[in-house]
Amino acid sequence: MNSEYNELYVWIWLPGATEPVVAGKLMAVGPTYVFNYGKSYLQRDNAIAIYDAELPLRQGQLPLLPGLFIPGCLRDAAPDAWGRRVILNKKFGSKAPGIDPATLNELSYFIESGSDRIGALDFQLSPTQYEPRYASGAHIEELIEATELVERGIPLTAELAQALQHGTSIGGARPKALIESDSKKFIAKFSTSTDIYSVVKVEYIAMRLAGLAGLDVAPVSLERASGKDVLLVERFDRKVTVNGWQRKSIVSALTLLSLDEMMARYASYEMLAELVRTKFRNAQKTLRELFSRIVFNILIGNTDDHARNHAAFWDGQMMTLTPAYDICPQGRHGQTATQAMLITGEDRSSRITTCKASAPQFLLSEDEAVDIIVRQIECIEQNWHIICDEASLSEVDRNVLWGNQILNPYVFEGLEKSHRAWPQMEEVCRRWVSGYD
């Protein structure tokens, strides 16, 4: 393991601030990383805990939660698979494809990644001087060229490496970069050479349908550059003011559930709903929104709803659910499917009947749950071709997706015996459930 960095300093943008302050030090201790707040930060009148369940405002080295090797609220700000590939390409060139990502320690990934990371944190080698790691304004065509080279394992030029570094701190496995205008910031997502259909267009369609279905989603737009489709997702963790950019603190659901990637399979919507009831503002509205997102993910075949793909704003006191993001139908063979997170008990099956069984934990009556389900199905059916036309999705891709990822028959399995108890489902059953009498 690379031991180039053994400690670094965590800087934070406090609520309403446009400049960061140093919050404390993160240190490597054997195979783990531990944090302690700085004395000057603890003395601030406006100091907030980075996340109080993990890093409460108190002196001394703060113990890790059981099973974690690094505080989850700090790991949330680290680069994921794509960002790490870019960093390895920059450091190892043509040898990068054969390099184990664990060659670099977590502190190295923090320092080698860009500063405009998700949330309100950044990482520096100095406790007194903040020096952001930003790229010069690169054109989107240059970013596309850079991502293609990384995919092919070809070393980047110094200029392209600098351009792409800006987005290395953004999570996820697919190629992406950061771009901005005078008043907005965006995550740009690119296609890959291994896509068997237009994943960029399909994510755009899913996000647009989610908004039409009443979900709170990040605004998206579809652009074209260098002959390729680019999805632009507006960032909701930034706010422009006359004095500069403010940053909003964000905590992933994985961190809220006190889990890391190795334990992600235990993540449960049921446990997340319990947290919403105690730590979130507008709990009842939030529970309805969360239930609606589960239903929509199942209906459009997004089985990649893992706990890093859910998050909450943190203001130092309470949580607020962020807009939905990363809603994209996943490749599918056959009918049976499961969601990445458990829905109720040990059941994660991608079916409407599973959603119905989970409704009480979201403080929804059966009628309320069925109404959400029916409205979403009708919205997808009514708007599918309209949004596909908007995205210029080919007829071939539409045929691949419809009835497979989108409204797969497995979604409706089990309704044959229960539709008479759900009057609102009568017409849905008539259209989708085989053997309906």
Side-chain angles (χ1 to χ4, degrees):
M1 177 180 288
N2 183 304
S3 58
E4 182 177 354
Y5 304 106
N6 293 312
E7 64 180 38
L8 51 75
Y9 294 90
V10 180
W11 290 64
I12 185 171
W13 277 254
L14 292 167
T18 56
E19 297 291 337
V21 296
V22 65
K25 182 191 293 187
L26 181 64
M27 298 165 287
V29 179
T32 65
Y33 302 89
V34 295
F35 176 83
N36 66 273
Y37 286 106
K39 184 178 179 181
S40 63
Y41 185 75
L42 292 173
Q43 291 174 342
R44 296 181 68 93
D45 293 335
N46 61 343
I48 66 170
I50 295 175
Y51 173 49
D52 62 349
E54 279 194 306
L55 302 178
L57 283 175
R58 63 169 184 251
Q59 292 182 339
Q61 196 173 98
L62 299 174
L64 290 166
L65 295 182
L68 300 185
F69 73 96
I70 187 172
C73 57
L74 301 183
R75 175 61 181 84
D76 285 342
D80 280 334
W82 170 251
R84 294 178 189 231
R85 284 182 67 182
V86 175
I87 291 167
L88 291 175
N89 181 288
K90 179 182 176 183
K91 291 187 72 69
F92 298 103
S94 59
K95 297 180 181 178
I99 298 293
D100 182 353
T103 300
L104 301 182
N105 67 10
E106 288 298 314
L107 303 188
S108 297
Y109 284 116
F110 282 130
I111 291 297
E112 296 291 341
S113 53
S115 288
D116 199 9
R117 63 190 72 245
I118 293 295
L121 302 179
D122 194 22
F123 304 89
Q124 298 281 309
L125 297 177
S126 169
T128 57
Q129 185 173 359
Y130 180 77
E131 296 181 353
R133 298 177 296 281
Y134 293 143
S136 56
H139 295 294
I140 200 164
E141 289 81 5
E142 294 176 287
L143 296 172
I144 291 173
E145 178 188 355
T147 59
E148 290 176 343
L149 291 174
V150 171
E151 273 201 290
R152 291 156 54 194
I154 298 174
L156 298 176
T157 64
E159 292 78 11
L160 287 179
Q162 182 188 16
L164 205 56
Q165 184 198 31
H166 188 36
T168 52
S169 53
I170 302 301
R174 292 185 61 83
K176 56 181 65 67
L178 296 177
I179 61 175
E180 64 181 82
S181 66
D182 292 337
S183 60
K184 295 180 180 179
K185 295 197 176 193
F186 303 89
I187 298 172
K189 295 187 174 185
F190 309 117
S191 59
T192 73
S193 58
T194 58
D195 289 343
I196 60 174
Y197 55 85
S198 181
V199 174
V200 166
K201 286 184 176 181
V202 171
E203 182 170 349
Y204 169 83
I205 291 167
M207 291 285 284
R208 288 280 287 114
L209 286 172
L212 292 172
L215 299 186
D216 178 21
V217 298
V220 294
S221 61
L222 198 59
E223 305 293 336
R224 189 125 179 116
S226 297
K228 295 183 178 294
D229 297 309
V230 181
L231 177 68
L232 298 184
V233 184
E234 187 177 330
R235 293 183 65 173
F236 45 71
D237 61 337
R238 296 291 185 267
K239 179 182 178 181
V240 68
T241 71
V242 294
N243 296 317
W245 290 95
Q246 296 177 358
R247 302 190 180 193
K248 297 182 179 181
S249 290
I250 286 180
V251 181
S252 74
L254 195 66
T255 293
L256 293 177
L257 296 170
S258 303
L259 302 172
D260 65 9
E261 278 78 7
M262 298 301 292
M263 300 183 283
R265 65 186 181 278
Y266 301 115
S268 161
Y269 283 112
E270 197 167 12
M271 292 188 293
L272 185 55
E274 290 178 9
L275 284 171
V276 168
R277 289 193 287 270
T278 58
K279 291 188 69 72
F280 279 64
R281 301 185 190 279
N282 303 316
Q284 190 161 7
K285 180 181 178 181
T286 301
L287 289 169
R288 183 182 181 90
E289 172 73 17
L290 187 56
F291 177 83
S292 299
R293 294 183 187 186
I294 300 170
V295 172
F296 188 80
N297 281 331
I298 286 174
L299 293 176
I300 58 97
N302 178 31
T303 54
D304 192 35
D305 58 334
H306 56 80
R308 278 212 186 281
N309 278 345
H310 300 279
F313 296 119
W314 164 246
D315 64 7
Q317 296 181 330
M318 297 287 284
M319 299 283 183
T320 307
L321 196 65
T322 71
Y325 55 94
D326 281 355
I327 301 177
C328 186
Q330 301 298 302
R332 188 165 183 165
H333 303 285
Q335 294 191 9
T336 303
T338 56
Q339 299 304 118
M341 287 177 60
L342 296 163
I343 298 173
T344 181
E346 296 300 312
D347 189 356
R348 65 176 83 234
S349 58
S350 306
R351 301 182 302 161
I352 286 176
T353 52
T354 309
C355 295
K356 184 256 185 183
S358 74
Q361 68 201 34
F362 297 93
L363 305 184
L364 294 170
S365 68
E366 181 176 294
D367 285 346
E368 289 173 320
V370 173
D371 183 64
I372 290 170
I373 294 165
V374 172
R375 287 177 181 273
Q376 288 196 11
I377 293 171
E378 291 175 345
C379 177
I380 293 169
E381 290 175 326
Q382 292 167 7
N383 292 286
W384 167 250
H385 284 296
I386 296 172
I387 304 303
C388 285
D389 288 345
E390 189 175 287
S392 300
L393 188 69
S394 72
E395 199 65 33
V396 172
D397 282 353
R398 298 186 201 200
N399 292 335
V400 167
L401 293 162
W402 188 255
N404 188 32
Q405 282 90 333
I406 314 297
L407 299 179
N408 187 289
Y410 180 70
V411 167
F412 305 96
E413 186 176 285
L415 291 183
E416 299 94 332
K417 300 177 182 178
S418 62
H419 68 267
R420 289 182 180 83
W422 304 359
Q424 305 99 310
M425 291 295 294
E426 190 79 13
E427 183 56 33
V428 170
C429 290
R430 192 178 303 279
R431 294 195 301 273
W432 289 99
V433 179
S434 60
Y436 177 85
D437 52 22

